[in-house]
Amino acid sequence: MASPFSGALQLTDLDDFIGPSQECIKPIKVDKTLGSGVAKIHIEDDGSYFQVSQDGGTRKLEKAKISLDDCLACSGCVTSAETVLITQQSHKELRKVLDANKTLAPGQQRLIVISVSPQSRASLAVKFQLNPTDTARKLTAFFKKLGAHSVFDTAFSRNFSLLESQREFVRRFRAQADSKQALPVLTSACPGWICYAEKTHGNIIIPYISTARSPQQVMGSLVKDFFARQQGVTPDKIYHVTVMPCYDKKLEASRPDFFNQEHQTRDVDCVVTTGEVLKLLEEEGVSLSELEPAPLDSLCSSVSAQEPTSHRGGGSGGYLEHVFRHAARELFGIHVDEITYKPLRNKDFQEVMLESEGRVLLHFAAAYGFRNIQNLVQKLKRGRCPYHYVEVMACPAGCLNGGGQLKAPAAPDKQLLQDVERLYGMVRTEAPEDVPGVQELYGHWLHGEGSTQADRLLHTSYHAVEKASSGLSIRW
């Protein structure tokens, strides 16, 4: 069975994809307290490990249990995390939490919050032949029927991610004379790309990556900090679930950077894919199209959500277009309305330029898919990357084509993707700074733009993963 993770997590130069004859590079737990003598490890035909001491005695070794944190801190396989994710991050785990919550007294229940991505909504809209607004309202009704208390749209959290990305780029562009690593800025919203960069290229690439959190993790901050305060509960009393188009988002939610040590809770407790939502619907015997719609929820009590909104710039969040327009206006006083893309090697590698009097002022690019990411990285390593900013996504065609999206066996993939793109594009777009509630939250929740609070809750950092020597990486 093909892995659901993005190509960037499967096709690295680490030889880290687990074949049928390979095991995890940390397969056994060794007790180091038994003595200082030298011992050998013997492997039986059935794969059991035995420690053989100097006096000939043997002792069976217990296999280590590998957590998601272990997988993320390991320079070996990534796809082995899949078995852990099935139990820790799945629709079955969500169902278990929902069912357990119903047995508790009202005062002891956790608040169940579901945050739905616009890409997942578009995929479900195509499946059930609904418009985006009806899909959003019917999803709200479905999740509340299951026991959720609030259902939010991650397009709202994406406003903060876009605004922080804009400000970060302008700051780094102005600082390029002082730092060789200020540019290019590489987007950080795609966890498959981030995991690949950390494990494969480490400190060569990490300084270029934007520190702005992805919409999923900004929503984690909103729900576990702002919403928790609003509701008068501690973060651990909220169980936060996101619905995403991508399996790699499960890895992102499990990063130690997004774990609250004080309250021992993650910003996002569980990630389910679009396909897993369909499984939930099927298990409940429910067709989304037949459900009565429910009113949409809003994170800001002062704002009433009548319909979902989105952003210009394509199905992966519009980072390139928003940063490009903002930078043109802020740095050069030029207003850009329409953006013209120039395809390069293929349709998933395109560039955009701002020129004036024969001089290139801004040079941006979008690189989707592993093949284009490799080309981009090689240009960076050779010091020949001409771009100021690159929107990087691991999946060909971007997030609307994520591995967690719904498939249509009877229809060609290209036609399905076009249908998803069409419905995604039907949603009314707004500039992030104009969205009701955003400026209010910057003032009251974050204590202003560029504040310590904004930096703590809207930005993150990355970590190079040291390569471990393993016999599995030997090419015979």
Side-chain angles (χ1 to χ4, degrees):
M1 185 184 78
S3 170
F5 292 95
S6 67
L9 291 185
Q10 300 167 46
L11 303 174
T12 72
D13 58 5
L14 291 174
D15 297 324
D16 63 1
F17 186 78
I18 293 186
S21 63
Q22 296 177 357
E23 288 266 12
C24 178
I25 66 170
K26 297 201 271 187
I28 56 172
K29 187 186 296 182
V30 179
D31 188 348
K32 297 181 180 179
T33 63
L34 295 177
S36 59
V38 177
K40 295 180 179 180
I41 302 295
H42 176 71
I43 306 176
E44 294 288 322
D45 292 338
D46 63 357
S48 300
Y49 290 80
F50 285 85
Q51 179 177 312
V52 183
S53 59
Q54 288 179 315
D55 60 8
T58 61
R59 185 173 66 88
K60 187 173 183 179
L61 296 172
E62 178 189 350
K63 281 205 172 187
K65 293 180 180 178
I66 307 298
S67 71
L68 270 177
D69 288 348
D70 293 326
C71 287
L72 291 170
C74 160
S75 62
C77 60
V78 173
T79 51
S80 64
E82 197 169 341
T83 54
V84 183
L85 294 171
I86 289 170
T87 56
Q88 288 188 353
Q89 303 251 10
S90 67
H91 75 289
K92 290 182 179 178
E93 179 68 15
L94 169 58
R95 182 179 288 283
K96 187 172 24 171
V97 170
L98 288 167
D99 291 343
N101 213 42
K102 291 174 184 175
T103 65
L104 300 174
Q108 297 177 317
Q109 288 183 346
R110 297 170 78 180
L111 285 176
I112 310 294
V113 175
I114 314 280
S115 299
V116 182
S117 69
Q119 294 89 351
S120 295
R121 183 182 61 225
S123 184
L124 287 162
V126 171
K127 169 69 177 178
F128 291 100
Q129 299 181 339
L130 298 167
N131 65 53
T133 299
D134 283 345
T135 305
R137 290 174 174 166
K138 288 172 183 285
L139 276 174
T140 299
F142 175 64
F143 284 125
K144 289 190 173 182
K145 176 176 175 286
L146 290 181
H149 298 89
S150 298
V151 181
F152 300 130
D153 185 348
T154 63
F156 184 74
S157 57
R158 192 165 66 191
N159 293 308
F160 296 90
S161 187
L162 289 169
L163 289 170
E164 293 301 308
S165 296
Q166 292 174 180
R167 296 184 188 113
E168 180 187 22
F169 175 77
V170 168
R171 175 177 56 78
R172 287 172 62 165
F173 188 91
R174 287 171 172 161
Q176 61 182 307
D178 303 321
S179 171
K180 292 181 179 180
Q181 295 179 322
L183 298 176
V185 176
L186 310 176
T187 58
S188 55
C190 172
W193 147 243
I194 295 300
C195 201
Y196 166 74
E198 288 180 321
K199 289 175 176 287
T200 312
H201 302 289
N203 290 323
I204 298 172
I205 299 296
I206 284 174
Y208 298 104
I209 300 175
S210 167
T211 62
R213 292 192 185 193
S214 71
Q216 171 175 277
Q217 296 310 137
V218 172
M219 185 57 88
S221 293
L222 280 163
V223 168
K224 290 294 183 92
D225 192 275
F226 171 74
F227 185 69
R229 294 169 189 261
Q230 193 182 61
Q231 299 298 311
V233 299
T234 54
D236 56 303
K237 297 301 181 185
I238 297 177
Y239 186 78
H240 183 207
V241 183
T242 60
V243 178
M244 289 287 144
C246 170
Y247 280 86
D248 298 350
K249 285 291 181 183
K250 296 173 185 276
L251 288 170
E252 180 182 47
S254 301
R255 290 176 69 91
D257 310 76
F258 305 129
F259 184 79
N260 184 323
Q261 291 289 347
E262 180 185 355
H263 295 283
Q264 292 294 295
T265 184
R266 297 193 183 279
D267 293 345
V268 177
D269 297 288
C270 181
V271 179
V272 295
T273 63
T274 317
E276 288 176 292
V277 172
L278 181 61
K279 287 181 183 176
L280 280 171
L281 286 161
E282 290 172 347
E283 288 171 4
E284 289 291 312
V286 170
S287 172
L288 195 64
S289 55
E290 295 173 0
L291 284 171
E292 287 295 318
L296 301 180
D297 293 327
S298 174
L299 264 167
C300 290
S301 55
S302 60
V303 177
S304 175
Q306 300 298 324
E307 61 178 351
T309 60
S310 189
H311 302 96
R312 298 170 71 176
S316 297
Y319 286 87
L320 183 151
E321 292 202 13
H322 283 83
V323 174
F324 189 84
R325 286 191 176 91
H326 177 78
R329 184 172 62 251
E330 188 76 13
L331 295 169
F332 305 105
I334 298 174
H335 176 78
V336 176
D337 187 26
E338 291 301 317
I339 290 180
T340 303
Y341 287 86
K342 177 186 174 183
L344 298 177
R345 293 168 177 252
N346 51 72
K347 61 182 176 60
D348 278 334
F349 203 134
Q350 304 184 85
E351 63 179 30
V352 175
M353 281 192 260
L354 180 70
E355 298 177 282
S356 177
E357 299 177 353
R359 187 165 66 98
V360 176
L361 303 179
L362 292 174
H363 197 180
F364 282 29
Y368 292 0
F370 185 71
R371 173 177 52 170
N372 294 321
I373 288 175
Q374 281 190 313
N375 291 332
L376 172 67
V377 168
Q378 290 309 312
K379 285 181 180 180
L380 263 175
K381 284 185 169 181
R382 294 168 186 160
R384 297 178 182 174
C385 183
Y387 306 116
H388 297 121
Y389 186 90
V390 187
E391 182 179 290
V392 187
M393 299 291 160
C395 292
C399 298
L400 290 174
N401 192 40
Q405 295 284 72
L406 302 181
K407 309 302 177 189
D413 290 342
K414 186 176 180 180
Q415 181 59 51
L416 175 62
L417 181 58
Q418 289 174 348
D419 290 341
V420 174
E421 288 173 342
R422 178 177 55 81
L423 283 175
Y424 181 90
M426 284 176 59
V427 179
R428 181 173 61 87
T429 61
E430 289 184 294
E433 60 271 20
D434 297 332
V435 172
V438 170
Q439 297 305 328
E440 176 190 338
L441 284 180
Y442 262 111
H444 295 125
W445 174 47
L446 297 169
H447 312 311
E449 299 169 3
S451 67
T452 303
Q453 179 91 330
D455 187 62
R456 180 176 68 86
L457 293 169
L458 303 181
H459 290 263
T460 187
S461 58
Y462 311 100
H463 322 281
V465 178
E466 185 179 347
K467 295 184 181 182
S469 298
S470 169
L472 299 181
S473 63
I474 296 173
R475 293 182 184 274
W476 298 97

